[in-house]
Amino acid sequence: MNKELMEALDILEREKEISKETLFEAIENSLLTACKNHFGKADNVHVEIDRETCDFLVYAEKEVVPAAEDVEDGCLQISLDDARELSSRAQVGDMLHVEIKSKEFGRIATQNAKNVILQKIREEERSVIYNQYYEKERDVVTGVVQRYMGKNISINLGKADAMLNEGEQVKEEVFRPTERIKVYILEVKNTPKGPRINVSRTHPELVKRLFESEVTEIKDGTVEIKSIAREAGNRTKIAVWSNNPNVDAVGACVGMNGARVNAIVDELRGEKIDIVNWDENPGNLIQNALSPAKIVAVFADPEEKTAKVVVPDYQLSLAIGKEGQNARLAARLTGYKIDIKSETQAKDAPGFRYEDYIEEDYGDYEDYEEYEGDEYGQEGLTEGEPEQTYGEYEEPDLSGTGEGTEETPVYEDEGGEPYGEGEDPGFPEEEEELPEEYPEEPEMQEEYADAELPEACEEEPEYGTSGEDRE
């Protein structure tokens, strides 16, 4: 048993993750190469290695010829006398296995055999590393910052080095050597010098993978990330959906006291993350995507993938966002081209009013998704704020009772002849005359009004009537 060879193979298999069978094949090829260098040819040379004991045997098949004078090629033929020394039953014409001692190889042959083994080990090591990281393509791994190479950053992933190019870096991020960061593997290429790994810190999938690793409900499929839009370093919007009605998708992603989302924000160096609910209704989805802005109405065209949004005047800048960021991310998240106007602008803008879709062509109105009232518009209003509607007319109450009766008032002229039903004769309203006992001065009116208090207010003290007060 060759214990030294066995131990060496065990170490290589454990550290380099190279199978023993591959190493055995490398040893066989190296011995064949050594024989070729030593004898000039190795067509009839065979190598056998016992996988259990690691003992190996190298032999050459030679043809037995009658006499030494008949030997034309010593590598392929052997005389009968020499063959009888190896095997007493050898006969002319037999193929005899002649053992080759590896110790007889020269220095050059030995060095070549060593190089063959090392080359095979290096190739297998590169192949193992390539396969290992190829399986992690489109996934997040943790690496250690090594050094800056120009504007690029070299990152050690453990068994291989990755390159973080300038275009995949967040502008505001600055890393120090030996700092541990998480990166997204974009691509793994197999090159003669080994696998080449490109990673990114700006890809939207980086945020998605971080949520999958941090939120258990996303990992087990209870909560799904339907869409994601990101401007690296500034803000990210993600739309989530729960397959279980008893699980709140947004709450699961946020975590208790924001623990889950804060861990991701810390990893992204303070990048803001907006988590909204996904909705199959495009109007509700657009409303959620434009949060935190409040929405009055949405007109969405699913075929054209366009949407017109009306917001309160004081919410217009919030809906658009700084440099249009909020609207831009909402458009990427929903896949709709969004046009936002305030209520004042929408009154004179075509396509932002309900009557634009009702009066022109009622058939086309069915193609638009309209959201108002309790389903949509009321959600976009703050508490105590009246709901804004367009294109609705409320019949005024002309009965004078204020109770909204259905009877139509009838007006008569001075001769007693009635006007047309429902017509207002346009008489000027007569001003109610004040009673004579009320002076015209407001101060005196208040004094008289206080003097005529009801019985329930008799306990209020009188002013300026007591003799004691005068004294």
Side-chain angles (χ1 to χ4, degrees), residues 30 33-34 37 105-118:
S30 67
T33 303
N37 292 331
F105 295 157
R107 181 180 60 83
I108 296 177
T110 305
Q111 186 65 32
N112 291 337
K114 177 183 176 181
N115 293 337
V116 170
I117 295 176
L118 294 178

Side-chain angles (χ1 to χ4, degrees), residues 64 80 98 101 108 171 216 284 310 368 378 403 450 466:
V64 180
L80 180 61
V98 180
K101 300 294 184 180
I108 296 177
K171 294 181 180 179
T216 308
N284 292 338
V310 181
Y368 284 81
Q378 194 65 27
E403 298 178 358
D450 294 338
S466 174

Side-chain angles (χ1 to χ4, degrees), residues 438 444-453:
Y438 278 54
M444 297 300 296
Q445 291 179 17
E446 295 178 2
E447 181 178 349
Y448 277 91
D450 294 338
E452 294 181 6
L453 293 174

Side-chain angles (χ1 to χ4, degrees), residues 225-373:
I225 298 179
K226 289 287 190 177
S227 180
I228 184 169
R230 184 187 184 199
E231 288 191 357
N234 294 323
R235 184 179 293 273
T236 297
K237 283 181 180 285
I238 64 172
V240 294
W241 169 264
S242 176
N243 295 317
N244 187 344
N246 297 324
V247 177
D248 180 16
V250 175
C253 295
V254 173
M256 184 175 295
N257 298 326
R260 291 178 173 178
V261 70
N262 286 338
I264 299 173
V265 169
D266 293 341
E267 179 60 38
L268 297 178
R269 307 298 177 93
E271 182 175 321
K272 297 179 179 63
I273 300 177
D274 295 339
I275 307 173
V276 300
N277 283 311
W278 172 269
D279 201 307
E280 297 295 339
N281 190 323
N284 292 338
L285 178 60
I286 292 171
Q287 179 198 21
N288 296 338
L290 286 172
S291 63
K294 307 298 181 183
I295 308 300
V296 174
V298 175
F299 302 95
D301 186 355
E303 295 182 357
E304 298 293 334
K305 288 292 183 180
T306 59
K308 294 178 171 60
V309 180
V310 181
V311 299
D313 292 349
Y314 68 94
Q315 291 277 301
L316 180 61
S317 60
L318 182 62
I320 296 175
K322 184 180 180 181
E323 299 179 356
Q325 184 184 75
N326 192 56
R328 186 165 56 250
L329 289 175
R332 294 179 188 174
L333 189 71
T334 59
Y336 278 70
K337 182 180 179 181
I338 302 175
D339 190 2
I340 304 174
K341 290 188 182 298
S342 64
E343 290 179 298
T344 303
Q345 296 171 343
K347 291 179 181 179
D348 301 327
F352 286 84
R353 301 168 296 182
Y354 295 126
E355 56 264 27
D356 293 339
Y357 304 101
I358 297 175
E359 294 178 357
E360 294 179 1
D361 190 353
Y362 186 79
D364 294 340
Y365 176 71
E366 297 178 355
D367 297 337
Y368 284 81
E369 302 288 346
E370 178 184 334
Y371 310 95
E372 59 176 333

Side-chain angles (χ1 to χ4, degrees), residues 20-201:
K20 284 185 177 181
E21 185 62 30
T22 302
L23 295 173
F24 283 133
E25 292 177 0
I27 294 173
E28 291 176 356
N29 293 332
S30 67
L31 291 174
L32 290 175
T33 303
C35 292
K36 185 175 182 180
N37 292 331
H38 184 71
F39 298 107
K41 60 176 65 177
D43 298 338
N44 61 330
V45 177
H46 300 276
V47 179
E48 294 181 358
I49 300 178
D50 190 342
R51 267 57 172 171
E52 298 296 332
T53 61
C54 291
D55 293 332
F56 62 92
L57 174 64
V58 181
Y59 62 90
E61 289 185 347
K62 294 184 179 182
E63 182 183 2
V64 180
V65 294
E69 294 80 5
D70 299 328
V71 176
E72 297 178 357
D73 189 347
C75 295
L76 301 177
Q77 296 173 336
I78 187 173
S79 63
L80 180 61
D81 296 336
D82 295 337
R84 289 285 175 86
E85 294 179 359
L86 300 175
S87 175
S88 58
R89 294 178 296 178
Q91 300 293 331
V92 175
D94 292 345
M95 299 298 297
L96 188 64
H97 292 178
V98 180
E99 182 179 0
I100 300 175
K101 300 294 184 180
S102 59
K103 294 181 180 181
E104 298 176 358
F105 295 157
R107 181 180 60 83
I108 296 177
T110 305
Q111 186 65 32
N112 291 337
K114 177 183 176 181
N115 293 337
V116 170
I117 295 176
L118 294 178
Q119 181 65 24
K120 184 65 175 179
I121 291 175
R122 282 193 293 267
E123 291 177 358
E124 288 300 318
E125 185 178 4
R126 292 172 183 171
S127 177
V128 169
I129 294 175
Y130 171 78
N131 294 332
Q132 179 180 351
Y133 286 98
Y134 183 78
E135 295 176 356
K136 295 181 179 181
E137 196 175 34
R138 309 295 177 185
D139 203 352
V140 173
V141 295
T142 302
V144 179
V145 177
Q146 286 187 319
R147 62 187 179 278
Y148 278 84
M149 302 176 64
K151 294 184 179 180
N152 301 332
I153 303 175
S154 176
I155 299 176
N156 183 12
L157 302 181
K159 296 181 178 179
D161 291 340
M163 186 62 64
L164 181 60
N165 296 323
E166 181 185 5
E168 300 298 335
Q169 300 176 24
V170 180
K171 294 181 180 179
E172 292 79 9
E173 291 183 343
V174 178
F175 303 107
R176 298 186 304 272
T178 71
E179 186 176 0
R180 299 181 67 87
I181 60 173
K182 290 186 178 181
V183 292
Y184 178 78
I185 298 180
L186 283 176
E187 186 182 23
V188 180
K189 293 182 178 180
N190 196 5
T191 64
K193 295 183 179 181
R196 180 179 179 182
I197 305 173
N198 295 325
V199 295
S200 172
R201 286 278 296 181

